[in-house]
Amino acid sequence: MRQAFLNDHIPSAQRATVLSLDAFFADVGGAAGQPTLGYLAKATSIPIAWLAGSAFVGMAVPLYRRAGAAAREQGGDETREEK
């Protein structure tokens, strides 16, 4: 869903840069988050680690909602290229 949103709303001149940065930050987040959640699972329990991970990912929901609202305000198709 995120990938489709980025592809639809980023002009082709900047798309490769934005997608590269998106992948970079996802890799950094995984490299930091996986060991942290692994330690938490070992120290407490796997369900607690799952809850902590889902709570952290859930913090992004307001950002997605805001991005969707901004896209709707702009008409949704203004930044898309004609196909």
Side-chain angles (χ1 to χ4, degrees), residues 24-51:
F24 172 75
F25 286 113
D27 290 345
V28 169
Q34 289 175 8
T36 303
L37 290 174
Y39 175 78
L40 181 62
K42 191 173 183 178
T44 59
S45 69
I46 292 174
I48 297 294
W50 274 100
L51 286 172

